[in-house]
Amino acid sequence: MTEATERMSRVDHAWLRMDNEVNLMMIVGVWLLTPRVAHADVVARIEDKLLKYPRFTQKVVQDAMGAHWVQDAAFDVQRHVVAEKLHRKRGQTQRQALQARAGELATTALAFAHPLWQFHVIEDYEGGSALIARIHHCIGDGISLISVMMSITDGGNDPPVRKPRAGKPRAAPEEDSEPDWLTGAIVKPLTELASKAIGMYGSGVAKSMAALANPQTSLLGSMDMAKLGYRVIGDVAALALMADDSPTRLKGKPSGKKVVAWSEPMPLDDVKAVGKGLGCSINDVLLGCVAGAIGQYLRDQGDDPSGAEIRAMVPVNLRPLEQAWKLGNRFGLAPLTLPIGIDNPIARTFAVRARMQELKDSYQPLLAFAVLSVAGLMIKPVQDVILGLFAKKATAVMTNVPGPAVPLKFCGATLKQTMFWVPASGDIGMGVSILSYGGGVQFGLITDEKLCPHPQDIIDHFEPEFEKLLLLTAMLPWA
C-alpha cells in the first residue's frame, strides 16, 4: 500500500467482522432538537469538530492479516451528513415515523468503500429537528462515541492534541495503539468489577492484555500466543458450559428487520430517592423496572413468566473516563440475570441488587475482551462460532450510560432528548438502553420485528413499574 495506513486493533477487527444477515454492528442514536437546525449548519459543525478525529475520514481496507485504517481519498462530507424528509404513513405520528425510520436505518448497511458512519438530518420534526446517527462499532464503543458526540455540541471540547514522540511524528489525536487504559485499570481500578477480574487472572494479565490490545505485537506462532490461546480455550469452554438462556418469545431466530422505541424521560431525582430508601443503587432500581416491564409484557401476550429469568450481556468499561475521547473498543461483557418472573417490585429490585453483587466477583469482562481479541485473529467462520456462544447465553444486550446533567446546545438549538441503541451480535434480537440526560432518565429498546414487533408495548410498562416501586417504597417503615 502506498497510502499511510494504521493497523486496526484485534478487538476492533472482531467487531468489524461481526455483521451478519440479521444484526449489523452499528450504534444508532437519535437527537431531538428545538428550534429547527439547518442541514448546512450541521455540515459546518461536523467539518469543524468531528473531522478533527482522523478516524471519521478513514475507510477500512481488509487484508489476509486483518484490517487497516486508510485515509479516504474520495471523502465527501455531504455523503456522510444527509438531509432527508420524514415520510409518514397514514395515521402515523411524527414520533412513530421517526422510530420507523431509525429502525430502517439500523438494518441498512454502511458503505465499506468510505468511512463507516452517517448522520441523517431531518430539518422539520415536531417544531424542531431530529438527527439520526449511525456509526459502526469497529470505530469505537459506547463510552468513546458518546464522548465524541458531546464534543460536537456547542462549546464541546476538541480532542486533546498529543505531543509527537521522538522520531515518530503524529499530527493527529486518535486511538492509541498502546493500551494506556490497561495501566490505569491495574494501578487504579476503575470499577470493582474490573478489579476483581484482574485479581482472578493474576499479575500476568498485564502482559496478556497488552499483547491482545496492541495490533503491532506479533503473536502468531509465539509461545505467548500458545499460552494465551490455551487460557482462552479454557475460558471459552467454561462459557460454553453455562446453561443457554431461558426460552421466551423474545429469544429465537431473528428476521433482520428492526423496530425501535423509547420512553419519555423520568426525573432522575425520583430514581435516586427510591434507591436511597431501599439501599440500592440507581442501576438496581432501573434494571428492576426493566425486568418488570419485560415480565408484564410477556403476561400481556398470554405467557406466564413466574419464576423465569433472562440474561442480558452488559458492557463494562475498561478504560479511564478521562480517556473516553480515544476511539476503539475497550470494554468487557458480563452476563446479568434479570428476574422477570418476580412480580413484587421491591423483591425484584433486591434480586437485581443480589445479581449485581455476584457480577462484582466475576472475571467475565476481561474474559470477553480476551475472547474478542483472539476471535479477531481467527478466520471468520471460527470467530462466528466463538461469538455465537455469547448469543446463546443471552436474550438481550443492555447498556446504561450516564449523560450530561444539564441540557446541551447544538448549532444554537437545545438538545432536548437523546437516545441510542447498541447492536446485538449473533442471533440476539433485543437491545436495551438506559440513558440519563438533563436531569431525566429514559429507556429505549431495539427489537427484531419477528421476536417483538411492538417494543413500545414494553416501553409503556417501564414508568408504571417505577411508579409501583415508588409507592411501595414510600409505604415502607422508616427508621
Side-chain angles (χ1 to χ4, degrees):
M1 293 183 186
T2 58
E3 301 168 278
T5 66
E6 177 189 352
R7 171 73 63 180
M8 181 181 286
S9 78
R10 295 182 177 104
V11 176
D12 296 344
H13 187 230
W15 283 106
L16 174 72
R17 300 191 305 176
M18 226 180 287
D19 288 329
N20 61 34
E21 66 276 9
V22 296
N23 281 316
L24 297 177
M25 292 299 106
M26 287 187 297
I27 296 174
V28 179
V30 170
W31 280 7
L32 303 183
L33 302 153
T34 185
R36 180 179 179 274
V37 297
H39 171 255
D41 292 336
V42 177
V43 171
R45 176 60 58 86
I46 295 304
E47 288 181 313
D48 180 50
K49 289 287 189 178
L50 188 68
L51 300 190
K52 289 181 178 176
Y53 294 86
R55 190 66 77 238
F56 289 91
T57 58
Q58 294 171 331
K59 63 182 180 180
V60 174
V61 176
Q62 300 190 67
D63 57 33
M65 296 300 293
H68 286 83
W69 297 106
V70 179
Q71 183 66 30
D72 181 8
F75 178 80
D76 179 1
V77 70
Q78 297 286 345
R79 182 186 293 117
H80 296 272
V81 186
V82 181
E84 62 175 80
K85 291 184 178 180
L86 194 61
H87 299 289
R88 285 193 286 170
K89 295 180 180 178
R90 185 185 299 273
Q92 268 189 337
T93 65
Q94 281 194 299
R95 171 66 63 92
Q96 290 168 336
L98 181 63
Q99 290 177 336
R101 182 58 178 150
E104 290 172 355
L105 289 171
T107 55
T108 303
L110 293 160
F112 270 69
H114 302 288
L116 297 174
W117 64 275
Q118 197 167 41
F119 290 175
H120 302 258
V121 182
I122 300 165
E123 293 186 345
D124 296 304
Y125 176 80
E126 292 186 347
S129 297
L131 178 69
I132 303 175
R134 300 188 298 147
I135 304 176
H136 199 284
H137 214 313
C138 70
I139 291 178
D141 54 33
I143 292 290
S144 66
L145 291 176
I146 282 184
S147 175
V148 169
M149 291 296 287
M150 293 302 102
S151 76
I152 70 174
T153 60
D154 295 1
N157 294 325
D158 291 338
V161 177
R162 297 173 49 220
K163 295 180 180 179
R165 298 174 185 173
K168 294 182 179 181
R170 299 177 70 175
E174 54 187 282
E175 176 196 9
D176 264 348
S177 62
E178 295 181 353
D180 296 337
W181 62 276
L182 185 60
T183 303
I186 292 173
V187 175
K188 186 179 179 182
L190 298 173
T191 64
E192 188 176 355
L193 196 60
S195 176
K196 294 285 186 182
I198 291 168
M200 290 190 69
Y201 263 122
S203 59
V205 72
K207 184 176 181 180
S208 298
M209 295 294 286
L212 288 168
N214 188 350
Q216 307 304 327
T217 303
S218 177
L219 284 177
L220 292 175
S222 70
M223 184 60 69
D224 283 342
M225 180 60 183
K227 291 178 179 177
L228 186 60
Y230 180 79
R231 170 177 288 173
V232 171
I233 287 171
D235 290 336
V236 171
L239 181 64
L241 291 174
M242 181 189 295
D244 290 349
D245 204 9
S246 302
T248 69
R249 67 174 58 240
L250 299 174
K251 189 164 181 63
K253 181 66 178 177
S255 67
K257 185 174 181 180
K258 301 296 182 184
V259 195
V260 309
W262 60 86
S263 68
E264 290 301 311
M266 299 188 314
L268 185 58
D269 285 345
D270 290 354
V271 181
K272 290 179 179 177
V274 170
K276 185 175 181 180
L278 296 178
C280 296
S281 69
I282 294 174
N283 229 13
D284 297 336
V285 172
L286 294 173
L287 294 179
C289 293
V290 169
I294 294 173
Q296 189 56 53
Y297 168 78
L298 293 175
R299 291 184 190 93
D300 292 347
Q301 304 304 307
D303 302 338
D304 181 11
S306 299
E309 299 178 329
I310 61 172
R311 289 194 202 97
M313 286 295 181
V314 180
V316 178
N317 181 43
L318 295 175
R319 84 170 95 206
L321 291 180
E322 65 270 16
Q323 294 181 18
W325 61 272
K326 296 181 179 180
L327 293 171
N329 290 276
R330 296 290 184 272
F331 69 96
L333 291 168
L336 173 66
T337 302
L338 294 175
I340 61 172
I342 299 178
D343 195 34
N344 184 295
I346 291 180
R348 188 172 59 242
T349 302
F350 285 156
V352 169
R353 182 180 65 180
R355 285 152 179 75
M356 289 298 291
Q357 286 299 121
E358 291 171 3
L359 273 186
K360 290 178 181 177
D361 292 326
S362 169
Y363 63 92
Q364 184 72 37
L366 290 184
L367 162 61
F369 187 93
V371 169
L372 286 170
S373 301
V374 173
L377 291 170
M378 307 294 185
I379 61 173
K380 191 175 187 306
V382 175
Q383 173 179 311
D384 291 344
V385 171
I386 293 174
L387 299 180
L389 289 174
F390 287 94
K392 289 181 180 179
K393 310 307 175 185
T395 295
V397 292
M398 177 182 293
T399 187
N400 183 354
V401 176
V406 296
L408 301 173
K409 297 275 190 178
F410 177 74
C411 295
T414 297
L415 176 55
K416 64 177 184 178
Q417 197 170 354
T418 175
M419 180 46 65
F420 71 98
W421 299 271
V422 294
S425 63
D427 285 342
I428 292 177
M430 175 183 286
V432 181
S433 302
I434 301 173
L435 179 68
S436 61
Y437 170 72
V441 61
Q442 64 186 105
F443 172 37
L445 271 180
I446 182 167
T447 60
D448 187 87
E449 187 180 55
K450 176 183 173 183
L451 302 177
C452 179
H454 304 292
Q456 193 68 47
D457 292 345
I458 299 179
I459 292 287
D460 289 343
H461 285 301
F462 182 66
E463 189 167 357
E465 287 297 326
F466 176 74
E467 294 295 336
K468 286 193 289 186
L469 181 61
L470 177 62
L471 178 61
L472 289 174
T473 302
M475 295 170 64
L476 290 174
W478 290 78

